[in-house]
mmCIF file with all atom_site columns, all heavy atoms in Angstrom:
data_model
loop_
_atom_site.group_PDB
_atom_site.id
_atom_site.type_symbol
_atom_site.label_atom_id
_atom_site.label_alt_id
_atom_site.label_comp_id
_atom_site.label_asym_id
_atom_site.label_entity_id
_atom_site.label_seq_id
_atom_site.pdbx_PDB_ins_code
_atom_site.Cartn_x
_atom_site.Cartn_y
_atom_site.Cartn_z
_atom_site.occupancy
_atom_site.B_iso_or_equiv
_atom_site.pdbx_formal_charge
_atom_site.auth_seq_id
_atom_site.auth_comp_id
_atom_site.auth_asym_id
_atom_site.auth_atom_id
_atom_site.pdbx_PDB_model_num
ATOM 1   N N   . SER A 1 1  ? 105.693 8.708  87.795 1.00 39.00 ? 1  SER A N   1
ATOM 2   C CA  . SER A 1 1  ? 105.945 9.881  88.622 1.00 39.00 ? 1  SER A CA  1
ATOM 3   C C   . SER A 1 1  ? 105.266 11.101 88.039 1.00 39.00 ? 1  SER A C   1
ATOM 4   O O   . SER A 1 1  ? 104.682 11.906 88.753 1.00 39.00 ? 1  SER A O   1
ATOM 5   C CB  . SER A 1 1  ? 107.450 10.126 88.742 1.00 39.00 ? 1  SER A CB  1
ATOM 6   O OG  . SER A 1 1  ? 108.055 9.050  89.399 1.00 39.00 ? 1  SER A OG  1
ATOM 7   N N   . THR A 1 2  ? 105.347 11.250 86.710 1.00 39.00 ? 2  THR A N   1
ATOM 8   C CA  . THR A 1 2  ? 104.680 12.372 86.053 1.00 39.00 ? 2  THR A CA  1
ATOM 9   C C   . THR A 1 2  ? 103.187 12.324 86.312 1.00 39.00 ? 2  THR A C   1
ATOM 10  O O   . THR A 1 2  ? 102.570 13.340 86.641 1.00 39.00 ? 2  THR A O   1
ATOM 11  C CB  . THR A 1 2  ? 104.946 12.334 84.529 1.00 39.00 ? 2  THR A CB  1
ATOM 12  O OG1 . THR A 1 2  ? 106.355 12.377 84.319 1.00 39.00 ? 2  THR A OG1 1
ATOM 13  C CG2 . THR A 1 2  ? 104.274 13.495 83.831 1.00 39.00 ? 2  THR A CG2 1
ATOM 14  N N   . ALA A 1 3  ? 102.586 11.135 86.181 1.00 41.00 ? 3  ALA A N   1
ATOM 15  C CA  . ALA A 1 3  ? 101.154 10.990 86.422 1.00 41.00 ? 3  ALA A CA  1
ATOM 16  C C   . ALA A 1 3  ? 100.820 11.326 87.873 1.00 41.00 ? 3  ALA A C   1
ATOM 17  O O   . ALA A 1 3  ? 99.837  11.999 88.152 1.00 41.00 ? 3  ALA A O   1
ATOM 18  C CB  . ALA A 1 3  ? 100.689 9.571  86.090 1.00 41.00 ? 3  ALA A CB  1
ATOM 19  N N   . LEU A 1 4  ? 101.671 10.870 88.800 1.00 36.00 ? 4  LEU A N   1
ATOM 20  C CA  . LEU A 1 4  ? 101.424 11.108 90.213 1.00 36.00 ? 4  LEU A CA  1
ATOM 21  C C   . LEU A 1 4  ? 101.485 12.596 90.533 1.00 36.00 ? 4  LEU A C   1
ATOM 22  O O   . LEU A 1 4  ? 100.608 13.146 91.170 1.00 36.00 ? 4  LEU A O   1
ATOM 23  C CB  . LEU A 1 4  ? 102.447 10.338 91.060 1.00 36.00 ? 4  LEU A CB  1
ATOM 24  C CG  . LEU A 1 4  ? 102.316 10.489 92.569 1.00 36.00 ? 4  LEU A CG  1
ATOM 25  C CD1 . LEU A 1 4  ? 100.988 9.898  93.013 1.00 36.00 ? 4  LEU A CD1 1
ATOM 26  C CD2 . LEU A 1 4  ? 103.464 9.812  93.265 1.00 36.00 ? 4  LEU A CD2 1
ATOM 27  N N   . PHE A 1 5  ? 102.531 13.271 90.047 1.00 35.00 ? 5  PHE A N   1
ATOM 28  C CA  . PHE A 1 5  ? 102.692 14.682 90.357 1.00 35.00 ? 5  PHE A CA  1
ATOM 29  C C   . PHE A 1 5  ? 101.700 15.550 89.604 1.00 35.00 ? 5  PHE A C   1
ATOM 30  O O   . PHE A 1 5  ? 101.466 16.685 89.974 1.00 35.00 ? 5  PHE A O   1
ATOM 31  C CB  . PHE A 1 5  ? 104.134 15.130 90.083 1.00 35.00 ? 5  PHE A CB  1
ATOM 32  C CG  . PHE A 1 5  ? 105.106 14.557 91.074 1.00 35.00 ? 5  PHE A CG  1
ATOM 33  C CD1 . PHE A 1 5  ? 106.054 13.628 90.683 1.00 35.00 ? 5  PHE A CD1 1
ATOM 34  C CD2 . PHE A 1 5  ? 105.032 14.925 92.408 1.00 35.00 ? 5  PHE A CD2 1
ATOM 35  C CE1 . PHE A 1 5  ? 106.924 13.085 91.604 1.00 35.00 ? 5  PHE A CE1 1
ATOM 36  C CE2 . PHE A 1 5  ? 105.910 14.383 93.325 1.00 35.00 ? 5  PHE A CE2 1
ATOM 37  C CZ  . PHE A 1 5  ? 106.857 13.459 92.932 1.00 35.00 ? 5  PHE A CZ  1
ATOM 38  N N   . ALA A 1 6  ? 101.107 15.032 88.543 1.00 39.00 ? 6  ALA A N   1
ATOM 39  C CA  . ALA A 1 6  ? 100.066 15.785 87.833 1.00 39.00 ? 6  ALA A CA  1
ATOM 40  C C   . ALA A 1 6  ? 98.760  15.768 88.613 1.00 39.00 ? 6  ALA A C   1
ATOM 41  O O   . ALA A 1 6  ? 97.790  16.406 88.240 1.00 39.00 ? 6  ALA A O   1
ATOM 42  C CB  . ALA A 1 6  ? 99.851  15.204 86.439 1.00 39.00 ? 6  ALA A CB  1
ATOM 43  N N   . GLY A 1 7  ? 98.715  14.979 89.697 1.00 37.00 ? 7  GLY A N   1
ATOM 44  C CA  . GLY A 1 7  ? 97.520  14.942 90.546 1.00 37.00 ? 7  GLY A CA  1
ATOM 45  C C   . GLY A 1 7  ? 96.350  14.256 89.886 1.00 37.00 ? 7  GLY A C   1
ATOM 46  O O   . GLY A 1 7  ? 95.218  14.704 89.996 1.00 37.00 ? 7  GLY A O   1
ATOM 47  N N   . MET A 1 8  ? 96.612  13.162 89.213 1.00 35.00 ? 8  MET A N   1
ATOM 48  C CA  . MET A 1 8  ? 95.534  12.452 88.531 1.00 35.00 ? 8  MET A CA  1
ATOM 49  C C   . MET A 1 8  ? 94.419  12.105 89.496 1.00 35.00 ? 8  MET A C   1
ATOM 50  O O   . MET A 1 8  ? 94.660  11.599 90.574 1.00 35.00 ? 8  MET A O   1
ATOM 51  C CB  . MET A 1 8  ? 96.063  11.150 87.916 1.00 35.00 ? 8  MET A CB  1
ATOM 52  C CG  . MET A 1 8  ? 96.904  11.346 86.693 1.00 35.00 ? 8  MET A CG  1
ATOM 53  S SD  . MET A 1 8  ? 97.434  9.762  86.062 1.00 35.00 ? 8  MET A SD  1
ATOM 54  C CE  . MET A 1 8  ? 95.871  9.045  85.655 1.00 35.00 ? 8  MET A CE  1
ATOM 55  N N   . ALA A 1 9  ? 93.203  12.351 89.082 1.00 35.00 ? 9  ALA A N   1
ATOM 56  C CA  . ALA A 1 9  ? 92.053  11.991 89.899 1.00 35.00 ? 9  ALA A CA  1
ATOM 57  C C   . ALA A 1 9  ? 91.957  10.488 90.051 1.00 35.00 ? 9  ALA A C   1
ATOM 58  O O   . ALA A 1 9  ? 91.364  9.980  90.982 1.00 35.00 ? 9  ALA A O   1
ATOM 59  C CB  . ALA A 1 9  ? 90.770  12.525 89.264 1.00 35.00 ? 9  ALA A CB  1
ATOM 60  N N   . LEU A 1 10 ? 92.559  9.767  89.131 1.00 36.00 ? 10 LEU A N   1
ATOM 61  C CA  . LEU A 1 10 ? 92.461  8.308  89.154 1.00 36.00 ? 10 LEU A CA  1
ATOM 62  C C   . LEU A 1 10 ? 93.575  7.657  89.948 1.00 36.00 ? 10 LEU A C   1
ATOM 63  O O   . LEU A 1 10 ? 93.658  6.444  89.997 1.00 36.00 ? 10 LEU A O   1
ATOM 64  C CB  . LEU A 1 10 ? 92.536  7.770  87.716 1.00 36.00 ? 10 LEU A CB  1
ATOM 65  C CG  . LEU A 1 10 ? 91.466  8.312  86.814 1.00 36.00 ? 10 LEU A CG  1
ATOM 66  C CD1 . LEU A 1 10 ? 91.731  7.870  85.395 1.00 36.00 ? 10 LEU A CD1 1
ATOM 67  C CD2 . LEU A 1 10 ? 90.141  7.821  87.285 1.00 36.00 ? 10 LEU A CD2 1
ATOM 68  N N   . SER A 1 11 ? 94.477  8.439  90.490 1.00 34.00 ? 11 SER A N   1
ATOM 69  C CA  . SER A 1 11 ? 95.631  7.980  91.255 1.00 34.00 ? 11 SER A CA  1
ATOM 70  C C   . SER A 1 11 ? 96.769  7.518  90.370 1.00 34.00 ? 11 SER A C   1
ATOM 71  O O   . SER A 1 11 ? 97.786  7.112  90.880 1.00 34.00 ? 11 SER A O   1
ATOM 72  C CB  . SER A 1 11 ? 95.260  6.856  92.228 1.00 34.00 ? 11 SER A CB  1
ATOM 73  O OG  . SER A 1 11 ? 94.246  7.267  93.083 1.00 34.00 ? 11 SER A OG  1
ATOM 74  N N   . GLY A 1 12 ? 96.597  7.505  89.045 1.00 37.00 ? 12 GLY A N   1
ATOM 75  C CA  . GLY A 1 12 ? 97.704  7.231  88.144 1.00 37.00 ? 12 GLY A CA  1
ATOM 76  C C   . GLY A 1 12 ? 97.673  5.873  87.503 1.00 37.00 ? 12 GLY A C   1
ATOM 77  O O   . GLY A 1 12 ? 97.335  4.900  88.124 1.00 37.00 ? 12 GLY A O   1
ATOM 78  N N   . VAL A 1 13 ? 98.026  5.841  86.250 1.00 38.00 ? 13 VAL A N   1
ATOM 79  C CA  . VAL A 1 13 ? 98.138  4.606  85.486 1.00 38.00 ? 13 VAL A CA  1
ATOM 80  C C   . VAL A 1 13 ? 99.223  4.846  84.466 1.00 38.00 ? 13 VAL A C   1
ATOM 81  O O   . VAL A 1 13 ? 99.430  5.963  84.066 1.00 38.00 ? 13 VAL A O   1
ATOM 82  C CB  . VAL A 1 13 ? 96.825  4.295  84.724 1.00 38.00 ? 13 VAL A CB  1
ATOM 83  C CG1 . VAL A 1 13 ? 96.809  2.865  84.235 1.00 38.00 ? 13 VAL A CG1 1
ATOM 84  C CG2 . VAL A 1 13 ? 95.624  4.578  85.569 1.00 38.00 ? 13 VAL A CG2 1
ATOM 85  N N   . CYS A 1 14 ? 99.932  3.835  84.023 1.00 38.00 ? 14 CYS A N   1
ATOM 86  C CA  . CYS A 1 14 ? 100.904 4.094  82.972 1.00 38.00 ? 14 CYS A CA  1
ATOM 87  C C   . CYS A 1 14 ? 101.029 2.938  82.012 1.00 38.00 ? 14 CYS A C   1
ATOM 88  O O   . CYS A 1 14 ? 100.569 1.847  82.277 1.00 38.00 ? 14 CYS A O   1
ATOM 89  C CB  . CYS A 1 14 ? 102.254 4.486  83.530 1.00 38.00 ? 14 CYS A CB  1
ATOM 90  S SG  . CYS A 1 14 ? 103.120 3.200  84.404 1.00 38.00 ? 14 CYS A SG  1
ATOM 91  N N   . LEU A 1 15 ? 101.637 3.229  80.877 1.00 37.00 ? 15 LEU A N   1
ATOM 92  C CA  . LEU A 1 15 ? 101.808 2.253  79.806 1.00 37.00 ? 15 LEU A CA  1
ATOM 93  C C   . LEU A 1 15 ? 103.174 1.598  79.886 1.00 37.00 ? 15 LEU A C   1
ATOM 94  O O   . LEU A 1 15 ? 104.108 2.152  80.435 1.00 37.00 ? 15 LEU A O   1
ATOM 95  C CB  . LEU A 1 15 ? 101.746 2.969  78.442 1.00 37.00 ? 15 LEU A CB  1
ATOM 96  C CG  . LEU A 1 15 ? 100.405 3.470  78.001 1.00 37.00 ? 15 LEU A CG  1
ATOM 97  C CD1 . LEU A 1 15 ? 100.571 4.284  76.732 1.00 37.00 ? 15 LEU A CD1 1
ATOM 98  C CD2 . LEU A 1 15 ? 99.487  2.311  77.732 1.00 37.00 ? 15 LEU A CD2 1
ATOM 99  N N   . ALA A 1 16 ? 103.270 0.458  79.257 1.00 36.00 ? 16 ALA A N   1
ATOM 100 C CA  . ALA A 1 16 ? 104.574 -0.145 79.074 1.00 36.00 ? 16 ALA A CA  1
ATOM 101 C C   . ALA A 1 16 ? 105.321 0.682  78.041 1.00 36.00 ? 16 ALA A C   1
ATOM 102 O O   . ALA A 1 16 ? 104.744 1.125  77.069 1.00 36.00 ? 16 ALA A O   1
ATOM 103 C CB  . ALA A 1 16 ? 104.410 -1.577 78.572 1.00 36.00 ? 16 ALA A CB  1
ATOM 104 N N   . ALA A 1 17 ? 106.600 0.912  78.275 1.00 34.00 ? 17 ALA A N   1
ATOM 105 C CA  . ALA A 1 17 ? 107.398 1.685  77.333 1.00 34.00 ? 17 ALA A CA  1
ATOM 106 C C   . ALA A 1 17 ? 108.349 0.740  76.608 1.00 34.00 ? 17 ALA A C   1
ATOM 107 O O   . ALA A 1 17 ? 108.965 -0.115 77.218 1.00 34.00 ? 17 ALA A O   1
ATOM 108 C CB  . ALA A 1 17 ? 108.192 2.748  78.079 1.00 34.00 ? 17 ALA A CB  1
ATOM 109 N N   . THR A 1 18 ? 108.443 0.904  75.298 1.00 34.00 ? 18 THR A N   1
ATOM 110 C CA  . THR A 1 18 ? 109.337 0.066  74.522 1.00 34.00 ? 18 THR A CA  1
ATOM 111 C C   . THR A 1 18 ? 109.960 0.892  73.426 1.00 34.00 ? 18 THR A C   1
ATOM 112 O O   . THR A 1 18 ? 109.334 1.792  72.877 1.00 34.00 ? 18 THR A O   1
ATOM 113 C CB  . THR A 1 18 ? 108.585 -1.111 73.869 1.00 34.00 ? 18 THR A CB  1
ATOM 114 O OG1 . THR A 1 18 ? 107.545 -0.585 73.045 1.00 34.00 ? 18 THR A OG1 1
ATOM 115 C CG2 . THR A 1 18 ? 107.995 -2.044 74.904 1.00 34.00 ? 18 THR A CG2 1
ATOM 116 N N   . GLY A 1 19 ? 111.210 0.590  73.137 1.00 39.00 ? 19 GLY A N   1
ATOM 117 C CA  . GLY A 1 19 ? 111.877 1.236  72.021 1.00 39.00 ? 19 GLY A CA  1
ATOM 118 C C   . GLY A 1 19 ? 111.926 2.749  72.120 1.00 39.00 ? 19 GLY A C   1
ATOM 119 O O   . GLY A 1 19 ? 112.003 3.428  71.111 1.00 39.00 ? 19 GLY A O   1
ATOM 120 N N   . GLY A 1 20 ? 111.908 3.306  73.321 1.00 41.00 ? 20 GLY A N   1
ATOM 121 C CA  . GLY A 1 20 ? 111.978 4.742  73.484 1.00 41.00 ? 20 GLY A CA  1
ATOM 122 C C   . GLY A 1 20 ? 110.661 5.461  73.265 1.00 41.00 ? 20 GLY A C   1
ATOM 123 O O   . GLY A 1 20 ? 110.586 6.663  73.366 1.00 41.00 ? 20 GLY A O   1
ATOM 124 N N   . GLU A 1 21 ? 109.610 4.753  72.941 1.00 42.00 ? 21 GLU A N   1
ATOM 125 C CA  . GLU A 1 21 ? 108.312 5.364  72.725 1.00 42.00 ? 21 GLU A CA  1
ATOM 126 C C   . GLU A 1 21 ? 107.276 4.698  73.612 1.00 42.00 ? 21 GLU A C   1
ATOM 127 O O   . GLU A 1 21 ? 107.406 3.545  73.970 1.00 42.00 ? 21 GLU A O   1
ATOM 128 C CB  . GLU A 1 21 ? 107.868 5.192  71.269 1.00 42.00 ? 21 GLU A CB  1
ATOM 129 C CG  . GLU A 1 21 ? 108.768 5.891  70.278 1.00 42.00 ? 21 GLU A CG  1
ATOM 130 C CD  . GLU A 1 21 ? 108.301 5.663  68.857 1.00 42.00 ? 21 GLU A CD  1
ATOM 131 O OE1 . GLU A 1 21 ? 107.434 4.805  68.630 1.00 42.00 ? 21 GLU A OE1 1
ATOM 132 O OE2 . GLU A 1 21 ? 108.811 6.357  67.976 1.00 42.00 ? 21 GLU A OE2 1
ATOM 133 N N   . VAL A 1 22 ? 106.236 5.455  73.972 1.00 40.00 ? 22 VAL A N   1
ATOM 134 C CA  . VAL A 1 22 ? 105.142 4.886  74.741 1.00 40.00 ? 22 VAL A CA  1
ATOM 135 C C   . VAL A 1 22 ? 104.117 4.354  73.757 1.00 40.00 ? 22 VAL A C   1
ATOM 136 O O   . VAL A 1 22 ? 103.673 5.053  72.862 1.00 40.00 ? 22 VAL A O   1
ATOM 137 C CB  . VAL A 1 22 ? 104.509 5.951  75.662 1.00 40.00 ? 22 VAL A CB  1
ATOM 138 C CG1 . VAL A 1 22 ? 103.329 5.366  76.396 1.00 40.00 ? 22 VAL A CG1 1
ATOM 139 C CG2 . VAL A 1 22 ? 105.539 6.477  76.631 1.00 40.00 ? 22 VAL A CG2 1
ATOM 140 N N   . GLU A 1 23 ? 103.765 3.082  73.893 1.00 42.00 ? 23 GLU A N   1
ATOM 141 C CA  . GLU A 1 23 ? 102.846 2.439  72.971 1.00 42.00 ? 23 GLU A CA  1
ATOM 142 C C   . GLU A 1 23 ? 101.729 1.754  73.732 1.00 42.00 ? 23 GLU A C   1
ATOM 143 O O   . GLU A 1 23 ? 101.933 1.306  74.852 1.00 42.00 ? 23 GLU A O   1
ATOM 144 C CB  . GLU A 1 23 ? 103.579 1.357  72.169 1.00 42.00 ? 23 GLU A CB  1
ATOM 145 C CG  . GLU A 1 23 ? 104.762 1.880  71.383 1.00 42.00 ? 23 GLU A CG  1
ATOM 146 C CD  . GLU A 1 23 ? 105.513 0.753  70.699 1.00 42.00 ? 23 GLU A CD  1
ATOM 147 O OE1 . GLU A 1 23 ? 105.287 -0.417 71.049 1.00 42.00 ? 23 GLU A OE1 1
ATOM 148 O OE2 . GLU A 1 23 ? 106.304 1.057  69.818 1.00 42.00 ? 23 GLU A OE2 1
ATOM 149 N N   . PRO A 1 24 ? 100.542 1.641  73.126 1.00 43.00 ? 24 PRO A N   1
ATOM 150 C CA  . PRO A 1 24 ? 99.479  0.868  73.789 1.00 43.00 ? 24 PRO A CA  1
ATOM 151 C C   . PRO A 1 24 ? 99.865  -0.600 73.820 1.00 43.00 ? 24 PRO A C   1
ATOM 152 O O   . PRO A 1 24 ? 100.543 -1.093 72.937 1.00 43.00 ? 24 PRO A O   1
ATOM 153 C CB  . PRO A 1 24 ? 98.251  1.099  72.905 1.00 43.00 ? 24 PRO A CB  1
ATOM 154 C CG  . PRO A 1 24 ? 98.787  1.560  71.595 1.00 43.00 ? 24 PRO A CG  1
ATOM 155 C CD  . PRO A 1 24 ? 100.109 2.213  71.867 1.00 43.00 ? 24 PRO A CD  1
ATOM 156 N N   . THR A 1 25 ? 99.441  -1.285 74.866 1.00 41.00 ? 25 THR A N   1
ATOM 157 C CA  . THR A 1 25 ? 99.700  -2.706 75.006 1.00 41.00 ? 25 THR A CA  1
ATOM 158 C C   . THR A 1 25 ? 98.913  -3.469 73.952 1.00 41.00 ? 25 THR A C   1
ATOM 159 O O   . THR A 1 25 ? 97.796  -3.104 73.618 1.00 41.00 ? 25 THR A O   1
ATOM 160 C CB  . THR A 1 25 ? 99.240  -3.166 76.407 1.00 41.00 ? 25 THR A CB  1
ATOM 161 O OG1 . THR A 1 25 ? 99.873  -2.338 77.372 1.00 41.00 ? 25 THR A OG1 1
ATOM 162 C CG2 . THR A 1 25 ? 99.583  -4.607 76.652 1.00 41.00 ? 25 THR A CG2 1
ATOM 163 N N   . GLU A 1 26 ? 99.509  -4.536 73.415 1.00 40.00 ? 26 GLU A N   1
ATOM 164 C CA  . GLU A 1 26 ? 98.756  -5.391 72.505 1.00 40.00 ? 26 GLU A CA  1
ATOM 165 C C   . GLU A 1 26 ? 97.570  -5.961 73.274 1.00 40.00 ? 26 GLU A C   1
ATOM 166 O O   . GLU A 1 26 ? 97.726  -6.496 74.364 1.00 40.00 ? 26 GLU A O   1
ATOM 167 C CB  . GLU A 1 26 ? 99.637  -6.537 72.002 1.00 40.00 ? 26 GLU A CB  1
ATOM 168 C CG  . GLU A 1 26 ? 100.721 -6.072 71.048 1.00 40.00 ? 26 GLU A CG  1
ATOM 169 C CD  . GLU A 1 26 ? 100.149 -5.502 69.776 1.00 40.00 ? 26 GLU A CD  1
ATOM 170 O OE1 . GLU A 1 26 ? 99.167  -6.064 69.244 1.00 40.00 ? 26 GLU A OE1 1
ATOM 171 O OE2 . GLU A 1 26 ? 100.674 -4.489 69.289 1.00 40.00 ? 26 GLU A OE2 1
#
């Protein structure tokens, strides 16, 4: 939602969230 409302030119992408932190996918 944050990415969407920020008006991303790319239409939005997001990471998997784990343990309360956003981390890159293995």
